[in-house]
Amino acid sequence: YLTTQLLEMKVPMVVVLNRIDLARKHHLEIDVNEFAAHLRLPVVAVDAHHADDLARLRECIGSSLVNLPVSPVRIEYQDELEELLSVIQHDLECDRKQCFTNLRWAAVKMLEKDFFALEHAGFSAEVRDRHRDRIAAVERICAGETDVIIADYRFGFIKGLFEHAVRRRADRKLV
């Protein structure tokens, strides 16, 4: 879940799948290349107890430090949320009293009602107040709170990733 939030924040990263030994113990086969393709980021599977794995991890981080990648992957929400995100982003773009550049992330934070994050990113309470009625209207249409809907879509993204990249070795069915 944290990785989906970092993706939305456009944080440069290398994804580390730690405790890969436990996955093997439970007969899980993790396709690291599929993870990397899905996330469009470098992914390294490691067992922290093995020096070779740690060496691979150091090498991956070292080679990425010069040009640490930012994934272009974007979690798409249902149409009503995407439309509202677009309106909020436009409003934030027009406001521009701050030099914050990831306006989609700020709009998502507004839908999540994460006012602490918005305040620390430099957005005023007036910006939040301008969209309160729009958010409430979308919540009525979607029959749910926007923060819960966003969490559900993030978990759906994770589920899709696991369906493509993780298999049980014994019967080859998706986990």
Side-chain angles (χ1 to χ4, degrees):
Y1 193 85
L2 175 61
T3 301
T4 63
Q5 293 173 311
L6 295 172
L7 284 170
E8 289 183 317
M9 291 172 68
K10 298 295 180 195
V11 172
M13 66 180 132
V14 171
V15 176
V16 180
L17 304 176
N18 194 13
R19 313 273 327 247
I20 199 72
D21 54 316
L22 291 179
R24 289 185 191 119
K25 179 180 175 184
H26 292 284
H27 307 287
L28 297 176
E29 184 178 293
I30 299 176
D31 186 339
V32 175
N33 293 328
E34 185 66 33
F35 257 91
H38 197 80
L39 296 172
R40 310 233 344 239
L41 288 167
V43 176
V44 181
V46 299
D47 173 355
H49 296 103
H50 286 89
D52 291 347
D53 286 358
L54 294 175
R56 257 186 321 104
L57 176 58
R58 279 191 292 276
E59 180 182 318
C60 182
I61 291 171
S63 65
S64 298
L65 282 178
V66 174
N67 191 17
L68 199 58
V70 174
S71 175
V73 171
R74 178 173 138 164
I75 297 171
E76 296 289 333
Y77 300 104
Q78 67 190 67
D79 292 343
E80 294 84 359
L81 263 64
E82 286 294 338
E83 290 171 21
L84 183 53
L85 284 169
S86 191
V87 167
I88 294 171
Q89 282 178 253
H90 178 72
D91 183 42
L92 295 173
E93 180 70 37
C94 293
D95 194 44
R96 283 314 248 201
K97 292 176 186 158
Q98 69 288 331
C99 52
F100 193 78
T101 58
N102 190 341
L103 299 178
R104 180 175 172 85
W105 176 83
V108 169
K109 291 287 114 187
M110 194 169 300
L111 293 184
E112 288 183 297
K113 302 172 187 109
D114 187 347
F115 305 126
F116 178 81
L118 289 170
E119 182 181 324
H120 282 81
F123 294 101
S124 66
E126 293 83 36
V127 171
R128 177 186 69 220
D129 293 342
R130 282 197 298 262
H131 297 286
R132 183 171 292 152
D133 292 339
R134 285 187 181 111
I135 292 170
V138 166
E139 288 179 335
R140 282 190 298 278
I141 291 168
C142 297
E145 295 191 28
T146 51
D147 56 336
V148 174
I149 296 167
I150 286 170
D152 189 46
Y153 271 76
R154 286 181 182 147
F155 282 117
F157 177 87
I158 295 164
K159 181 179 185 273
L161 173 58
F162 275 76
E163 286 175 346
H164 285 94
V166 180
R167 299 188 187 285
R168 189 165 301 282
R169 273 184 281 179
D171 59 13
R172 304 293 294 166
K173 288 185 180 178
L174 297 178
V175 174

